[in-house]
Amino acid sequence: MSSSILVTGGAGYIGSHIVLQLLLGGYKAVVVDNLDNSSEIALKRIKDLAGENGPNLTFNKIDLRDKPALEKLFASEKFDAVIHFAGLKAVGESVEKPLMYYNNNLIGTITLLEVMAAHGCKKLAFSSSATVYGWPKVVPCTEESPVSAMNPYGRTKLFIEEICRDLHLSDSSWKIILLRYFNPVGSHPSGSLGEDPRGIPNNLMPFVQQVAVGRRPALTVFGTDYGTKDGTGVRDFIHVVDLADGYIAALNKLSDPSVGCEVYNLGTGKGTSVLEMVAAFEKASGKKIPLVKASRRPGDAEILYGSTEKAERELNWKAKYGIEEMCRDQWNWASKNPYGYDSTN
Ligand code: NAD
Ligand code: UFG
C-alpha cells in the first residue's frame, strides 16, 4: 500500500509543487488548507498533471486551528508523515499584525502537533526559513550559524523550531526535519502551477512577473547602496521544483532510524543580486522591466545564501536548476496565467 502524507498548506505556492511531486512518486497526498492565500484550482490542476495518480489526491478545507476538524481527519485516516507548510508569510504584514501571525502560525502548529501525537503520527517535515539567519555576519550560512529574527514572521519560525526540539527531547520517537529554505522562485515547467499572491506582491519575482505582464508599471528596487557587486541585495534563489525534490529527500530521511530532530538548509549555495535576477528574467521573457530606485526596505539583509553541504551529504539532495531555468519557468507560468489562477478555470 502506498504511503499517505498529510500536506498542510498544500494548495499554496510551494505546497502545490510538493503535492504534485508526491503523487508522481506514488504517494497518497491528503491536503489540508483553509484557502486563505490559495485557490482550489491549483488542486484541480495538480490532479490533471498527475495523470493516473491524480485520484490519490484528496482535499479538506480545514483551518489548522480547528482542532475537532483535524481530530476527525486523523481518526478517519492513518498518515505516515506530515509536511507542514500552512502559515502566514508576509514579513511586513507580520510587523503590522503580530497577533494574527502568532495566532495563525503558532496555534496552528501546536494544534497540529497535539493531534499528531494523539494519533501516534510522529514524523514531520516543517517549512522553516532562511529568514532565521537574520543579517548574517558570515555567508554561506550553515545550519550552525547564529539565528535571530528580525520580525514577528521570522520569530514564529524560530519558536516553532524550538517547539519541535522540545517535543523531540520529551519523546524521542518523534522524527522531525526542519527545512530552512532560501528564496523559492519559478514554477512547474508545464506552466500550470505557480505563485499567485493575493494583493500587491511582497516578494521580488512575483512583482517582476506582474510588471512583465503589464499589471504594474515598474519594479521598485529596495536598496542600491549595499556593499554588493552592484549595490543591490543578494539572495539564494532556488527553483521550486528543486525544493519539492528536497522535501521528497527529507521524507525519505524521516524513515532513517537515526533521525531525531534535524535541521537542513535547502538552497543552491549561490548568491544572485536583485539586478542580476531582473536581467535574467528580462532575457527569459523578452520584456523590459522598468526600475525605480528606492531606499533599503527595513529588516532586509544585505547578503543571504546558504551552505548546501549538509543536505547533499545527509539527504543526498542537490539543486539542479539555475536562474535561467527559474526565470524561464516563471515566465511560462506568468504568460499563460497573467492573473494567476483567476486567469482561467
Ligand atoms: P502560501 O501562502 O502560498 O501557502 C501557504 C498555504 O497555507 C496557503 O495555501 C494558505 O491558504 C494556507 N494556510 C495559512 N494558514 C492556514 C491555516 N491556519 N490553516 C490551514 N491553511 C492555512 O505560501 P508558500 O510560499 O507556499 O509558503 C509555504 C510555507 O513555506 C510557509 O510556511 C512559509 O512561511 C514557508 N516559506 C516560504 C518562503 C517563500 O519565500 N515563499 C520562504 C521560506 C519559507
Ligand atoms: N526586492 C525589491 N523589490 C521588491 C521586492 C523585493 O527590490 O519589490 C528585493 C528585496 O529588497 C531583497 C530581495 O529583493 O533584497 C529579495 O526580497 P524578497 O522579498 O523576494 O525575499 P526575502 O529575501 O526578503 O524573503 C523571502 C521570503 C521570506 C523568507 C526568505 C527566505 O519573503 O518569507 O525569503 O530567505 F523567509
Side-chain angles (χ1 to χ4, degrees), residues 220-240:
T220 305
V221 179
F222 298 131
T224 51
D225 60 347
Y226 286 114
T228 58
K229 43 195 155 188
D230 58 23
T232 63
V234 166
R235 293 291 181 276
D236 187 340
F237 296 97
I238 174 168
H239 198 301
V240 68

Side-chain angles (χ1 to χ4, degrees), residues 135-330:
W135 181 312
K137 288 201 176 71
V138 179
V139 282
C141 302
T142 72
E143 289 78 354
E144 282 73 45
S145 296
V147 292
S148 68
M150 318 234 279
N151 50 64
Y153 163 72
R155 257 184 289 285
T156 67
K157 295 294 181 194
L158 277 183
F159 291 157
I160 294 169
E161 287 200 0
E162 292 299 341
I163 290 169
C164 289
R165 282 188 198 98
D166 286 339
L167 187 59
H168 176 258
L169 274 178
S170 74
D171 174 357
S172 61
S173 63
W174 277 90
K175 305 211 168 290
I176 303 178
I177 291 187
L178 308 168
L179 295 167
R180 290 181 184 157
Y181 48 85
F182 288 73
N183 295 55
V185 298
S187 306
H188 187 261
S190 63
S192 294
L193 298 179
E195 188 164 14
D196 179 20
R198 300 255 155 101
I200 302 170
N202 296 291
N203 299 120
L204 178 67
M205 295 314 282
F207 203 105
V208 168
Q209 158 189 326
Q210 293 195 4
V211 175
V213 298
R215 288 172 63 178
R216 304 193 184 271
L219 170 75
T220 305
V221 179
F222 298 131
T224 51
D225 60 347
Y226 286 114
T228 58
K229 43 195 155 188
D230 58 23
T232 63
V234 166
R235 293 291 181 276
D236 187 340
F237 296 97
I238 174 168
H239 198 301
V240 68
V241 171
D242 273 331
L243 204 55
D245 286 339
Y247 269 88
I248 304 287
L251 208 51
N252 292 334
K253 185 74 178 173
L254 283 172
S255 302
D256 178 340
S258 70
V259 172
C261 183
E262 275 297 330
V263 53
Y264 293 98
N265 284 342
L266 294 181
T268 64
K270 295 188 189 76
T272 302
S273 76
V274 169
L275 291 184
E276 285 173 333
M277 205 59 187
V278 171
F281 192 85
E282 284 183 328
K283 192 165 171 224
S285 64
K287 301 279 179 189
K288 183 87 195 131
I289 306 294
L291 302 178
V292 174
K293 292 180 182 174
S295 49
R296 298 178 182 192
R297 188 170 65 175
D300 270 354
E302 180 172 70
I303 304 181
L304 189 61
Y305 61 94
S307 162
T308 59
E309 277 175 27
K310 189 176 175 194
E312 277 179 43
R313 200 175 55 240
E314 297 184 17
L315 299 181
N316 202 16
W317 168 89
K318 190 176 176 8
K320 291 193 282 284
Y321 301 113
I323 59 169
E324 289 76 20
E325 288 100 343
M326 296 177 212
C327 291
R328 177 197 67 199
D329 294 338
Q330 180 127 6

